[in-house]
Amino acid sequence: MSTAAPRPIAFFDMKAQQALIRAEIDAGIARILDHGRFIQGPEVDAIEAGLAAFAGASHAVGVSSGTDALQIAMMAEGIGPGDAVFLPAFTYTATAEVPLVLGATPVFVDVEEGSFNLDLADLERRLELVRKEGRLRPRAVIGVDLYGLPADWPAIEALCAKHGMFALDDAAQAFGGALGNRRLGTHAHATALSFYPTKTLGCYGDGGAILTNDADRAELYRSLRTHGEGKTRYEVQRTGMNGRLDSIQAAILLAKLPLLEGELKARARAAAWYESHLAGRVRTPQVAAGSSSAWGIYTVVLPDAEARARVQDSMKAAGIPSAIYYPKPLHHQPAYAGAHAEGIAGGPPPLPVSERLCHQVLSLPMHPYLGEEDVARVAAAVLAGL
Ligand SMILES: *Cc1c(COP(=O)(O)O)cnc(C)c1O
């Protein structure tokens, strides 16, 4: 029997990918050191064109982070005090932070057990409550494609169209996912991407982008990311921010984008391996018919917190990393509890699925460089802990 230690399994693996493109990255950075246009250099224009083409969107606007992508998209709509913004209670904090920073009120909506994404029936119920109370104007829905699984965009779009609301896709974990034959990026009025290093397309720092098919919105986003500038640099048309993507991060993305198509296939392959080992034993992520996940994060649902703790211990003993996204629903976070109570003054209905999932979800290693043996080892450690 071999006594060699098994090869370590990374939760996200950025090193394997870097080894493939290191020379290109070095050359790209060297070019920027030579030309010296560190901000808004030609690399930013090039990656914007590449992102738009990849997603099939008419416009891509590079920005400084996924959070700023959400913020700029909301600023462009003039969303602020007195406005209700509907978003899932089970997501990353940034989704809820942005409406609050702009003075708007987040209204937390429950999610579906199976897809982890917005529950449309609950969204409609809360929208009706806000409309009846008449204190807040329903202005926007931020749908999140959690873990890479596309939300029900046709239904969200239809609801937004009916009530004159802005549909914003927080696709920070889902770049590359698709509904039908259309990738995420054109299903909402605007789509926010994050290039945080561990996302499906990541840079080596902070970065993000906004995708849209609307030329007027794209122009506004370009203005807002540069302090609200007008046609000329020192004409300030509106209150904006410093929300630019820098040239070096754009060069990293340019080196990585050609790998993305193949990496998405490799993630889907790893997900299928997980499914073959785990289906029937734990609840595995279910992708709705006709859509495809970007598999940004691979998350299973365990019966309860005790079972999850046992599985985590079992994985830890086998030297395999795991993570909990997210341990608390946003309406229980100290920063958001007040806003939650205020959103529906008559008393917001409970959010049972979001509250339950926080005790049940466990994310397993997921990246394009996982081998079949790696997945088998992870799965064995999960099953041993049940
Ligand atoms: C990562 C993430 C963001 C924020 O992106 P940053 O680039 O880190 O600002 C927003 N929403 C979701 C769902 C995310 O996962």
Side-chain angles (χ1 to χ4, degrees), residues 118-384:
L118 276 179
D119 176 333
L120 263 293
D122 193 60
L123 172 58
E124 285 185 55
R125 171 159 60 135
R126 282 167 213 267
L127 172 63
E128 274 320 298
L129 287 171
V130 169
R131 280 158 50 91
K132 264 206 211 110
E133 286 192 353
R135 284 177 313 116
L136 300 171
R137 282 182 304 272
R139 280 298 301 284
V141 175
I142 310 181
V144 180
D145 309 302
L146 203 71
Y147 309 139
L149 295 153
D152 186 353
W153 283 106
I156 297 171
E157 276 261 62
L159 189 72
C160 286
K162 184 172 164 196
H163 295 281
M165 293 190 292
F166 174 58
L168 176 56
D169 182 357
D170 179 346
Q173 299 180 2
F175 189 46
L179 273 151
N181 51 10
R182 268 166 63 211
R183 285 223 159 99
L184 293 171
T186 58
H187 294 273
H189 293 114
T191 299
L193 304 179
S194 164
F195 305 129
Y196 185 82
T198 57
K199 309 282 172 151
T200 55
L201 178 66
C203 54
Y204 292 152
D206 277 309
I210 315 168
L211 304 173
T212 184
N213 276 345
D214 183 330
D216 294 335
R217 284 196 167 100
E219 195 181 317
L220 264 175
Y221 301 157
R222 291 181 193 285
S223 167
L224 288 165
R225 76 173 168 185
T226 313
H227 304 291
E229 75 176 11
K231 293 267 180 278
T232 61
R233 185 159 170 199
Y234 292 106
E235 180 197 325
V236 184
Q237 283 280 3
R238 53 189 65 83
T239 308
M241 60 192 281
N242 178 354
R244 295 172 300 230
L245 179 69
D246 70 72
S247 306
I248 289 181
Q249 296 310 332
I252 308 296
L253 295 169
L254 281 170
K256 289 190 178 195
L257 187 58
L259 299 181
L260 185 57
E261 189 89 54
E263 289 185 340
L264 289 165
K265 289 204 177 83
R267 286 174 182 274
R269 194 182 54 187
W273 288 329
Y274 273 130
E275 177 74 15
S276 72
H277 287 286
L278 297 175
R281 303 295 307 281
V282 299
R283 233 172 69 212
T284 51
Q286 297 306 309
V287 185
S291 66
S292 48
S293 178
W295 297 112
I297 297 173
Y298 188 88
T299 303
V300 296
V301 181
L302 295 158
D304 51 38
E306 291 71 33
R308 180 172 71 182
R310 285 197 306 274
V311 170
Q312 276 191 294
D313 287 346
S314 164
M315 291 178 69
K316 199 168 174 197
I320 296 167
S322 65
I324 296 173
Y325 305 110
Y326 296 91
K328 225 183 216 191
L330 292 182
H331 62 291
H332 286 177
Q333 292 289 1
Y336 305 136
H340 172 58
E342 182 196 308
I344 297 170
L351 295 147
V353 180
S354 299
E355 289 172 16
R356 200 159 56 233
L357 284 174
C358 289
H359 297 290
Q360 297 177 299
V361 289
L362 187 65
S363 302
L364 312 181
M366 172 50 84
H367 58 76
Y369 303 92
L370 279 174
E372 197 165 3
E373 282 303 303
D374 299 328
V375 171
R377 272 174 55 212
V378 177
V382 170
L383 295 176

